[in-house]
Amino acid sequence: FRTESDLLGSKEVPTEALYGVQTSRAMENFHISGQLLSNYHNFIRGMAITKKAAAMANVEVEMITKEQGDAIMWACDQLIEGKYHDQFPIDMIQGGAGTSTNMCANEVIANLALERMGHQRGEYQYCSPNDVVNASQSTNDAYPCAIHMALALEHLEFMPHLEQMIAALDKKREEFKDVVKMGRTQLQDAVPMTLGQTFGAFADSLRGEYKNLRNTADEFLIVNMGATAIGTGICSKPGYSEACIKGGHQRHHLHARLQRRHEAPGREDQQDLQRPAPALQRSPLRPERDPPPRAPARFEHHARQGEPRHPRGDEPGVLPHHRQRHDHQPRFRQRSIHLLENGFDTLRTLCIDGIKANKERCRQLVEHSIGIVTMLNPIIGYKTSTKIAKEASETGRGVYELVLEHKLLTKEQLDEILKPENMLQPVELKF
């Protein structure tokens, strides 16, 4: 062990540990969620990006030496690459608005920097977690900035999963473009459409949300670095905030920008975190925290009719459609994004990619549906169409069959009307 001290006194820390005394106290004091910071890799990367930008800025405004700054930036790069994340063994939820998380990062980075400079872990007179790594900072600006950077990284990782889902649905749009089925409103037959149009609608819906997510995720890059404790910038030098932003741009291409004003950084940070939530909520596939429903009634109805064939048999709940309540703490937001990634990949690979169209069943349902009388209105008239629809409803016989029986149209004429190209777009038919 090595001995470290803080305002509360001295404490032994394992010699091999990169963390220090304040992290050790947090490990003892906080056992709340059971979720360790070490499991949230992008959060650690976000903290490292924040500390690296701060080190660059502090060198520029001469708050720390270039040797210290270079060592800190090297240490941050190690964390950004995914190394030493096991040295963040504290609960994700603590008292003090993230102070323990901020200090854990300061201590780990300081000890890595010390070794880079040729010193021993714990020799903080050469690179202090508080005075050097945390220079010009407070938990109240560094911690929210790290959250924003982490969520920006999460969304960058999520977007390819969404792109793959859109591509899979577009592929089915093309594959099923000639498969005619009955479209439905309020779970009842309406007018014909193609199965390809159904999958295309799913793709277009996700494509719209893709744009929304890209736009709203941009809010994550509004940061309050340089606000320090309460927004006044106390303990930092003029130009520090701007230098932080410049450093982040140069090294990580995350084009962050400063809040218009620094007052009440904690409150404004929560507002920024809440803005992207609606885009996640609108996603057709959403993470479930309540008991999941069987499936949306709309999709269940299609499945019962036997139109799409699920590649893995009859499995309920293929397209979860349940409104999700989102918490805005970073832990739950990152968990939601990971659930969406896994959910999209599972739905795409085990369901969407393997779906086959039951063309014969689709055509049969079209021909027997009362809904096709809507297409006959311009040809046989509304009154006659209504009579045919009523008879079909009372007898259970198909409209196609009854139209031929009553000699309202020939089979050739009826087949012409029911051609896909004539059912799915404005057309003028004369007989």
Side-chain angles (χ1 to χ4, degrees):
F1 292 89
R2 65 178 186 266
T3 301
E4 296 191 12
S5 61
D6 58 11
L7 290 175
L8 298 180
S10 298
K11 186 174 179 59
E12 289 188 333
V13 177
T15 303
E16 70 277 6
L18 287 170
Y19 57 80
V21 58
Q22 292 202 40
T23 301
S24 295
R25 295 197 191 282
M27 292 167 64
E28 294 177 353
N29 293 337
F30 301 116
H31 300 277
I32 299 174
S33 70
Q35 298 291 322
L36 298 183
L37 180 59
S38 56
N39 294 325
Y40 290 82
H41 302 291
N42 277 337
F43 194 10
I44 296 174
R45 291 187 178 99
M47 186 64 78
I49 289 171
T50 300
K51 297 294 180 180
K52 183 177 178 180
M56 294 177 69
N58 279 319
V59 171
E60 184 171 324
V61 299
E62 299 182 346
M63 278 290 288
I64 63 176
T65 68
K66 188 177 185 304
E67 181 189 17
Q68 291 170 330
D70 288 343
I72 290 171
M73 287 186 275
W74 175 86
C76 291
D77 284 338
Q78 304 306 300
L79 297 177
I80 293 168
E81 291 174 9
K83 300 176 182 177
Y84 307 111
H85 288 194
D86 61 326
Q87 297 297 304
F88 292 77
I90 59 175
D91 198 289
M92 277 292 291
I93 297 179
Q94 319 116 29
T99 299
S100 296
T101 297
N102 186 43
M103 281 309 305
C104 181
N106 290 334
E107 291 173 343
V108 170
I109 292 169
N111 281 309
L112 283 171
L114 284 169
E115 291 188 339
R116 179 73 169 178
M117 297 164 66
H119 304 294
Q120 298 296 314
R121 297 178 185 183
E123 292 184 336
Y124 296 137
Q125 66 269 30
Y126 301 108
C127 185
S128 164
N130 289 295
D131 296 331
V132 178
V133 180
N134 201 54
S136 308
Q137 301 158 65
S138 162
T139 295
N140 288 351
D141 61 355
Y143 183 77
C145 182
I147 292 173
H148 281 220
M149 294 298 101
L151 291 174
L153 293 173
E154 292 285 345
H155 274 258
L156 288 174
E157 291 179 1
F158 170 65
M159 301 312 283
H161 298 267
L162 184 53
E163 291 170 351
Q164 290 171 350
M165 174 60 82
I166 293 171
L169 291 169
D170 278 334
K171 184 177 179 180
K172 292 301 174 182
R173 184 208 302 257
E174 180 65 22
E175 182 180 342
F176 299 150
K177 65 181 180 181
D178 296 324
V179 181
V180 178
K181 64 180 286 293
M182 286 307 299
R184 299 182 178 93
T185 59
Q186 302 300 320
L187 306 183
Q188 298 185 38
D189 287 358
V191 293
M193 64 184 298
T194 67
L195 196 57
Q197 287 175 319
T198 300
F199 282 89
F202 292 147
D204 291 340
S205 175
L206 285 180
R207 192 171 282 108
E209 295 312 323
Y210 181 92
K211 294 178 181 178
N212 290 335
L213 283 170
R214 288 298 294 261
N215 291 335
T216 55
D218 189 54
E219 300 289 344
F220 292 142
L221 298 179
I222 299 175
V223 298
N224 61 343
M225 283 301 286
T228 63
I230 61 171
T232 61
I234 191 172
C235 297
S236 67
K237 287 186 176 182
Y240 165 77
S241 291
E242 293 74 16
C244 275
I245 298 301
K246 182 175 68 176
H249 287 185
Q250 290 174 348
R251 297 297 180 94
H252 301 288
H253 307 293
L254 293 173
H255 296 288
R257 55 199 184 278
L258 290 171
Q259 284 180 341
R260 187 172 301 172
R261 53 193 175 89
H262 287 319
E263 290 88 344
R267 177 177 58 81
E268 291 196 2
D269 171 68
Q270 285 297 305
Q271 292 174 349
D272 291 336
L273 289 179
Q274 291 174 23
R275 290 188 187 109
L280 289 175
Q281 291 174 328
R282 287 191 302 265
S283 170
L285 177 65
R286 290 183 288 271
E288 301 293 345
R289 280 173 52 215
D290 296 321
R294 293 175 56 216
R298 180 172 64 253
F299 192 82
E300 274 194 350
H301 184 62
H302 289 201
R304 285 199 304 269
Q305 298 291 347
E307 293 165 344
R309 288 174 175 165
H310 191 284
R312 297 176 67 85
D314 294 327
E315 297 185 10
V318 229
L319 291 176
H321 194 74
H322 180 59
R323 190 160 184 80
Q324 163 71 12
R325 297 191 308 272
H326 280 273
D327 298 281
H328 301 296
Q329 291 89 344
R331 179 168 67 94
F332 295 121
R333 179 63 62 78
Q334 291 183 67
R335 180 181 296 174
S336 293
I337 294 173
H338 290 157
L339 287 173
L340 279 174
E341 288 178 1
N342 295 335
F344 269 70
D345 290 347
T346 299
L347 180 62
R348 174 175 54 83
T349 58
L350 300 183
C351 178
I352 301 298
D353 288 346
I355 284 179
K356 304 296 182 184
N358 189 339
K359 298 181 180 180
E360 296 76 15
R361 180 59 175 160
C362 287
R363 183 73 184 186
Q364 184 183 51
L365 289 172
V366 170
E367 293 180 354
H368 285 77
S369 173
I370 296 176
I372 65 172
V373 297
T374 303
M375 300 188 57
L376 302 179
N377 283 343
I379 300 169
I380 65 176
Y382 180 82
K383 187 174 182 178
T384 302
S385 295
T386 302
K387 288 181 179 179
I388 292 294
K390 183 177 180 182
E391 184 177 352
S393 178
E394 291 175 347
T395 63
R397 299 171 68 188
V399 169
Y400 187 95
E401 177 185 357
L402 291 173
V403 169
L404 294 179
E405 183 178 297
H406 288 286
K407 298 182 179 179
L408 299 173
L409 293 167
T410 66
K411 186 177 186 303
E412 290 74 19
Q413 291 172 328
L414 192 54
D415 287 342
E416 180 70 17
I417 294 170
L418 297 181
K419 283 183 177 179
E421 59 267 27
N422 292 333
M423 290 193 293
L424 305 174
Q425 59 188 349
V427 65
E428 183 179 2
L429 295 173
K430 296 181 180 180
F431 298 112

